[in-house]
């Protein structure tokens, strides 16, 4: 493990010799992830993308590989869809998550490579690192962080950074 890895521990996420409180999926950490199970998948996951809401977060300070979330951006969570676990655009006939949410959870999103590059239907989708709803509210399988902590982490990520969940 490298200091630039985000390591999930019982005390939160460790990154660059700091600890940040986090929330996990409602089913905890799982080693047999399935779509809709509420589990956070165990393993070492690359950070393959960063999305942000330009109407809510300033571009300055974010890495140059961060991409804006546009109206109509969605994430497919339909295991029967060819574009399962990929970003897609509205209108979209299959099951999906809207990336332009009314709440602030997806104002900044780090995309992991969980079941992403060559997705297996039903193995789980949209495993992100995003802003938590509250420190005591579990996610649907993602890692949730306080907004200020997520912004700090995003500004200090390197291309080699990984999310380690064990």
């Amino acid at each position: 493990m490298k200091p630039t890895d985000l390591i999930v521990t019982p005390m939160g996420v460790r990154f660059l010799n700091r600890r940040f409180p986090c929330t996990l999926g409602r089913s905890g950490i799982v080693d047999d992830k399935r779509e809709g199970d509420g589990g956070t998948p165990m393993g070492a996951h690359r950070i393959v993308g960063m999305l942000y809401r330009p109407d809510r977060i300033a571009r300055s300070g974010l890495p140059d590989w961060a991409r804006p979330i546009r109206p109509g951006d969605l994430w497919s969570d339909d295991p029967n869809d060819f574009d399962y676990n990929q970003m897609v655009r509205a209108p979209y006939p299959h099951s999906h998550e809207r990336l332009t949410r009314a709440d602030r959870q997806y104002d900044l999103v780090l995309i992991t490579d969980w079941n992403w590059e060559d997705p297996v239907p039903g193995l789980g989708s949209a495993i992100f690192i995003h802003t938590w709803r509250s420190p005591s509210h579990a996610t649907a399988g993602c890692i949730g962080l306080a907004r200020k902590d997520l912004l700090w982490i995003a500004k200090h990520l390197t291309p080699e950074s990984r999310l380690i969940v064990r």
Side-chain angles (χ1 to χ4, degrees), residues 6 40-41 44-53 62-63 65-70 73-76 83-88 97-99 105-119 124-131 141-145 150 153-154 157-165:
L6 292 96
T40 300
H45 314 295
R46 290 179 302 125
I47 308 296
V48 295
M50 182 184 301
L51 303 172
Y52 70 99
R53 288 278 303 267
L62 294 178
W65 48 276
R67 297 291 172 248
I69 296 172
R70 302 167 296 163
D73 282 345
L74 312 169
W75 198 271
S76 173
D83 290 316
Y84 176 60
N85 201 25
Q86 303 293 315
M87 187 157 57
V88 294
E97 285 191 57
R98 182 172 304 281
L99 295 177
Q105 288 187 69
Y106 285 4
D107 286 2
L108 179 63
V109 175
L110 304 179
I111 303 168
T112 73
D113 71 344
W114 173 259
N115 196 32
W116 174 74
E117 200 161 23
D118 189 18
S125 63
I127 301 301
F128 300 147
I129 304 169
H130 61 72
T131 303
C142 299
I143 305 290
L145 293 159
L150 181 56
I153 289 169
L157 284 175
T158 70
E160 296 80 34
S161 294
R162 300 174 299 165
L163 173 66
I164 310 292
V165 181

Side-chain angles (χ1 to χ4, degrees), residues 24-103:
L24 301 174
R26 66 183 176 276
S27 300
I29 296 171
V30 298
D31 62 358
D32 187 26
K33 176 75 183 144
R34 295 287 176 241
E35 187 68 42
D37 67 0
T40 300
M42 184 182 300
H45 314 295
R46 290 179 302 125
I47 308 296
V48 295
M50 182 184 301
L51 303 172
Y52 70 99
R53 288 278 303 267
D55 57 327
R56 295 181 176 174
I57 292 185
R59 173 83 172 97
S60 61
L62 294 178
D64 56 356
W65 48 276
R67 297 291 172 248
I69 296 172
R70 302 167 296 163
D73 282 345
L74 312 169
W75 198 271
S76 173
D77 60 10
D78 186 338
N80 297 314
D81 179 31
F82 177 79
D83 290 316
Y84 176 60
N85 201 25
Q86 303 293 315
M87 187 157 57
V88 294
R89 298 277 301 154
Y92 192 68
H94 304 283
S95 177
H96 59 271
E97 285 191 57
R98 182 172 304 281
L99 295 177
T100 52
R101 295 170 58 124
D103 63 26

Side-chain angles (χ1 to χ4, degrees), residues 1-7 14-17 47 153 156-163:
M1 286 181 278
K2 302 170 274 207
T4 56
D5 287 338
L6 292 96
I7 302 167
R14 191 173 72 231
F15 178 67
L16 292 178
N17 297 315
I47 308 296
I153 289 169
H156 293 89
L157 284 175
T158 70
E160 296 80 34
S161 294
R162 300 174 299 165
L163 173 66

